Structures are given as structure tokens and as C-alpha cells.
Amino acid sequence: MGYLLSETLETFLRRQIEVSDPLLQALETEAADKHIAIINREVGQLLSLLMQLKTPRRVLEIGTAIGYSTLWMAGYTKWWGGKIITIERHPERHRRAVQVFKEAGVDHLVQPLLGDASEIIPELTGSFDFIFVDAAKGQYLNWYPYLKQLLAPGGVLVTDNVLYRGLVLPNSQFPRRKKTMVARLRQYLKEIQQPPFTSVILPLGDGVAVSFLQEESQ
Ligand SMILES: C[S@@+](CC[C@H](N)C(=O)[O-])C[C@H]1O[C@@H](n2cnc3c(N)ncnc32)[C@H](O)[C@@H]1O
């Protein structure tokens, strides 16, 4: 359970979301068994809702893990043929995600890339209508200029774990070794809450920011 909402409320919200896909269910169990952090169902539902509202043709995901969040998105992008590029630096997780995409029948739509996003992102070309960031929090600020560049005007950027267990809140107490990470996340939050972005931070999971890149004329 998270720390942002009361347990009662979080349980209630989670019970509203039915996951009927057996593969998604199996990945939830697998992630729990292997201690792999994945989005919770509320964030999955948010992604699927945004997919349906935005119908993105090109999606970028940073942080594939074993493909759980990718599947939440691909389950919808397959309706209109939207393509997803997803990046993971952990070879075993990447290999598992490749299998998962085959098993789900979305391997023609999902391009899983193995490597460090810090090296891959600067090499990406073309623009994306939707970007989901769920990887090393300490890197978000470094990636920000590239993400802004890669996102098409009118595009949506979703960033997970932006509240960092509440450590980004003013006057929060944290060990010295976390100081840089907290400062960088706070700065990232500042960046996405000013033009050309309009953002909202939702208290789901560890905090999810949904940002809209304004069209130039706005
Ligand atoms: C929270 S998990 C992603 C979970 C996945 N989005 C899901 O919900 O199913 C974060 C993943 O990002 C990967 N990661 C962290 N930093 C990365 C980087 N610099 N480049 C590529 N992958 C990275 C980690 O190996 C980890 O598997």
C-alpha cells in the first residue's frame, strides 16, 4: 500500500479496477515474487485512460522492467496501431519483456530497447505524442530537455514517482545521501509546472505527474 492515501481509500480505489487479462495478473505476481517495482493498478488505469483520450501514434516509455506498464498502454494502442518504444537497462528484465510482448501479441507494435536511457534518449529521432517516464528518479532532470524536445506539441508526458515517498515536500526529513536526488526531483517538478507545460500531480502510487505540452500558439 502507498503512503499518500489512507489504506481504506486506496483499497476502495483499487477494487474499482478489474484486471481481467491473465498475463497482466501473472506479471503482477511475478513482479511481487522478484521484488520488481511496477506501477500499481491505479496508475495502469490512468495510463489506459490517457491512451484512449490521446490515441498516440508514437509512445516512448523509459523503464520497461518486465513489460507490465507497457502492456497497459499497448492493450489500447493496438486498436489504432500506435507504436511504443520502451527502454530498459537491466538485460534480464529486457529479455523477459521481449517474451511478454510476444506472448501478448503486441511485439509488432512494441520496440524494446536494451540500454541506458541516458545514452539512448539523445539518439532518438522524430517526435512522440506520449512519453511515460518510470525509471531512475535522479535522472529525470537530465532527461527533461530531451523529453521536451522529443514530445510533439499537444503531447502528454507522464512521470511516475515524483513525490519520492514525500521527500520532495517542504521541510521533509531525509538522510544527507538523498539530498541531491531530492533537489533534482524538486527542480524537475518546477520545470514541468511552468510553460510550455501544464501539469497536475496526482496522489497515486508514489505521485504521478501528468503534463501537457502546450501547442505553440497557446
Ligand atoms: C519502476 S521500474 C519500471 C516499471 C515498469 N514501468 C512497470 O510499471 O511495469 C524502473 C525500471 O527502470 C529501469 N531503469 C532505471 N534507470 C534506467 C536507465 N537509466 N535506463 C534504462 N532503464 C533504467 C530499471 O532497471 C527498472 O527496471
Side-chain angles (χ1 to χ4, degrees):
M1 284 290 161
Y3 62 98
L4 292 167
L5 306 177
S6 73
E7 204 170 317
T8 318
L9 179 55
E10 204 166 84
T11 305
F12 171 77
L13 293 177
R14 194 149 306 164
R15 286 205 180 127
Q16 310 304 306
I17 304 168
E18 202 189 319
V19 172
S20 52
D21 180 347
L23 184 52
L24 276 180
Q25 287 173 359
L27 289 175
E28 288 175 353
T29 308
E30 181 176 337
D33 290 349
K34 294 181 179 167
H35 306 287
I36 297 171
I38 56 169
I39 54 166
N40 62 33
R41 288 184 176 185
E42 295 89 291
V43 178
Q45 185 79 332
L46 174 69
L47 287 177
S48 66
L49 174 74
L50 292 171
M51 286 292 119
Q52 291 170 83
L53 288 172
K54 181 73 189 149
T55 59
R57 297 260 143 216
R58 256 188 121 212
V59 177
L60 172 65
E61 177 182 55
I62 307 175
T64 322
I66 54 175
Y68 178 77
S69 52
T70 325
L71 278 198
W72 270 98
M73 298 190 280
Y76 291 91
T77 61
K78 68 181 179 194
W79 293 356
W80 54 86
K83 302 266 166 65
I84 304 177
I85 290 180
T86 181
I87 306 172
E88 174 57 56
R89 69 176 171 194
H90 192 297
E92 207 178 301
R93 292 182 188 175
H94 163 83
R95 266 197 302 277
R96 177 65 182 128
V98 169
Q99 279 177 355
V100 163
F101 302 143
K102 271 208 185 91
E103 198 179 327
V106 294
D107 50 328
H108 59 300
L109 295 173
V110 181
Q111 186 185 357
L113 301 180
L114 171 63
D116 190 331
S118 299
E119 287 164 22
I120 294 175
I121 298 170
E123 303 295 324
L124 292 173
T125 54
S127 62
F128 294 86
D129 313 298
F130 192 98
I131 300 180
F132 176 49
V133 185
D134 184 19
K137 291 180 277 292
Q139 294 301 318
Y140 290 1
L141 191 60
N142 289 342
W143 296 339
Y144 173 75
Y146 296 104
L147 300 179
K148 196 163 100 178
Q149 190 72 31
L150 286 167
L151 198 60
V156 175
L157 167 68
V158 176
T159 316
D160 201 12
N161 306 117
V162 290
L163 295 178
Y164 192 15
R165 308 209 60 79
L167 298 189
V168 297
L169 271 59
N171 305 322
S172 64
Q173 304 287 318
F174 48 82
R176 265 180 79 84
R177 66 193 151 80
K178 302 217 162 162
K179 199 173 157 198
T180 309
M181 172 99 87
V182 171
R184 293 170 69 79
L185 256 183
R186 283 179 175 157
Q187 185 57 35
Y188 179 79
L189 284 177
K190 266 198 194 140
E191 297 289 353
I192 59 170
Q193 288 182 98
Q194 59 188 334
F197 283 104
T198 309
S199 297
V200 61
I201 300 169
L202 302 172
L204 300 178
D206 195 16
V208 186
V210 180
S211 311
F212 172 73
L213 180 62
Q214 295 155 18
E215 312 270 357
E216 292 207 350
S217 56
Q218 285 182 317

